[in-house]
Amino acid sequence: MKRDRTRYAVPTKRAAYLMRKAVKAGVTIYDVTLGENKTAFSVERGGERALEAILTAERIERNRVRERTGKRILSFLKARPVFAAATVLSVMAFSFFQCFVYRTEISGNRFVNTKTIAAVLEAHKIDGFTFKGQVDVPSIRSDVSALDGVSFASVRIKGNRLLVEIKEELPSSDTEKESFEPVRARLSAVITKIVAESGTPFVKIGDKVKKGDVLIAPVYTFTEGEGLAPAKGEVYGVTTYKKEIVLPEISVQNERTGIKQAVRSLFVFGKEIGEEKAPPFSSYDLSEKVVFEALGGSVRVVERTYYERRDAVVFHDFDLELPALIEKETQNLLSSVPFYAVTTGGVTVEQKKMDNILYIVLYYTVEQRLDSLFAPE
Amino acid sequence: MAYIEDIRSRFGDPDALSSRYEITLIDDSRALISGQKGLQIISNEEVVVRVKGGKVRVYGEKLVVRSASREEVFVSGSIQGVEKLYEA
């Protein structure tokens, strides 16, 4: 293997003289070519210093061109086209793959779900092979930082990997405060699950509890007796939301008769001119509007409209009215159920008719967390 | 160079042939002069190298000194002849 050489071009006709001196000084000369008033030759790196000394002593100007190893590699590759093609293809493939991100690494999360972070990346179309130019790192960083429980997010591209490192928010100091209050039921239910982190469970699965009942007591029982311990935990139960409707066959309803009467009054400086007019109906709805105004509101004409109302006996057709009524009340019932409740079945309807009165009860049974430590509303 | 040793041995007395210089001609395109004492002339038509007891002249066309070190000079090109010039 040839060592790196430096090519010299010197403006001298005395090539032999120079070569002789160089060789005498221990420099090996290669590829001497002669041009008009110019001699070019190569020397190995190790001989450069000695040659430079000779050229300086002889006051000969020179041009130096380092013969790059790359040049030799090029000629080496030229002689081996298949190898050269494979090398070029490998370099191209490597360069091509360097343009893509095809792996994501999420780290630093203990409480924040990895899938939640992955969903953010998916929303930014980071899946499989993604062109690096399409990865909006600042936007991803901002979206990941906005996740609940994330206090800081670092997003960067390293090679073909997208690295997402997060720092989570410290748990709220409130949760660290020790409370010796018992955990109570927020509503009546049948217990289905108890997870007591601290304290002693006061109920067991299947127990019926009412609102305010103790679920977890702030005590800890050990062989010598009892001690105080903060009551913490989660208690779940099945509870039923209920909506009652009473629909009499005959009802008296105060309704507008459709008769109305308008009365106009003149007001000057806020005082009504003339005798105050008595309402035309004994039962009415009233609406007022200003129909004329002058002198900056000092003079006004106000029109009062009276709508007559009277009690009317209404006869209800249960068959006709019931479906729409149940549908409406079902929606009201469902909207009163908290969002975190898990349904255990649909809405059930019970009807009972007594003395021309129809009683309808809607039931909706759900399972939900019912301890007093949980109050998301 | 083993073949030079071989040539020496063919003369029967290697010591008598302890060389001062050697000229090796390979085809008409390469010449190696060992035991050189200095380059005298370099041109495209001739390369003259001093050796002990005279000079060696390689002449031809498009001659190039491929390498020159303390011991030997390697010339390539279209070599027409090599001659020994004795000093007067």
Side-chain angles (χ1 to χ4, degrees), chain A residues 225-251:
Chain A
E226 285 186 341
L228 275 177
K232 281 185 195 170
E234 297 177 7
V235 183
Y236 295 82
V238 170
T239 186
T240 302
Y241 288 81
K242 196 163 81 172
K243 180 92 181 171
E244 291 180 358
I245 310 158
V246 179
L247 189 64
E249 196 169 27
I250 302 164
S251 64

Side-chain angles (χ1 to χ4, degrees), chain B residues 20-45:
Chain B
R20 293 163 180 171
Y21 64 92
E22 290 154 10
I23 303 164
T24 309
L25 195 60
I26 305 164
D27 295 334
D28 294 333
S29 58
R30 279 160 281 184
L32 180 70
I33 303 134
S34 301
Q36 63 116 346
K37 296 290 174 186
L39 283 156
Q40 202 76 30
I41 298 169
I42 302 173
S43 74
N44 293 330
E45 288 78 34

Side-chain angles (χ1 to χ4, degrees), chain A residues 20 23-24 29-32, chain B residues 39 43 65-70:
Chain A
R20 193 163 60 243
V23 167
K24 210 169 182 179
I29 305 289
Y30 297 94
D31 299 331
V32 181
Chain B
L39 283 156
S43 74
V65 176
R66 285 287 167 212
S67 71
S69 64
R70 273 183 177 171

Side-chain angles (χ1 to χ4, degrees), chain A residues 253-273:
Chain A
Q253 290 179 0
N254 190 269
E255 294 176 332
R256 280 187 184 181
T257 60
I259 299 167
K260 64 178 181 179
Q261 190 171 331
V263 179
R264 289 187 177 186
S265 302
L266 176 65
F267 287 81
V268 178
F269 296 109
K271 196 171 178 185
E272 191 172 356
I273 305 299

